[in-house]
Amino acid sequence: MTEYSDEITVEQAYLAAYEYLLRRWKYLPERLIADELSDMSLLDDGGSVDPACKREFVEALRAVLDAELESGRYTRADQQLT
């Protein structure tokens, strides 16, 4: 696994959020943004209502950072014009 620092840029955070939602949409296309926000809400102990959300977000962040390391930039958020 690639090692990361504890600091990311605003752009990397934005791209990680994009990657996270893209992955969630792939498996749950009928979900509404309200459902996602509900699952991501934090409990008093700091955990998310759906514990998988935080882990999946970290996986999305890793995908962005890995893409930047491998090819210089993350491209899955690039607009595809057809």
Side-chain angles (χ1 to χ4, degrees):
M1 182 176 98
T2 305
E3 294 297 322
Y4 306 103
S5 73
D6 289 337
E7 296 183 22
I8 61 172
T9 66
V10 170
E11 181 178 356
Q12 288 169 323
Y14 180 86
L15 293 174
Y18 184 92
E19 176 70 19
Y20 171 78
L21 291 173
L22 192 63
R23 289 172 178 218
R24 296 286 284 187
W25 180 260
K26 179 179 177 183
Y27 295 105
L28 302 165
E30 70 285 353
R31 295 284 301 248
L32 301 174
I33 196 69
D35 294 333
E36 289 300 321
L37 292 172
S38 178
D39 286 351
M40 292 175 71
S41 296
L42 297 179
L43 301 170
D44 289 339
D45 67 2
S48 61
V49 171
D50 179 350
C53 287
K54 190 171 186 178
R55 177 184 45 79
E56 291 170 359
F57 181 81
V58 170
E59 290 171 0
L61 175 60
R62 287 183 181 138
V64 169
L65 297 176
D66 285 346
E68 289 181 349
L69 284 173
E70 291 172 14
S71 64
R73 64 186 288 272
Y74 170 84
T75 60
R76 285 176 44 115
D78 290 356
Q79 186 174 20
Q80 304 288 322
L81 299 177
T82 57

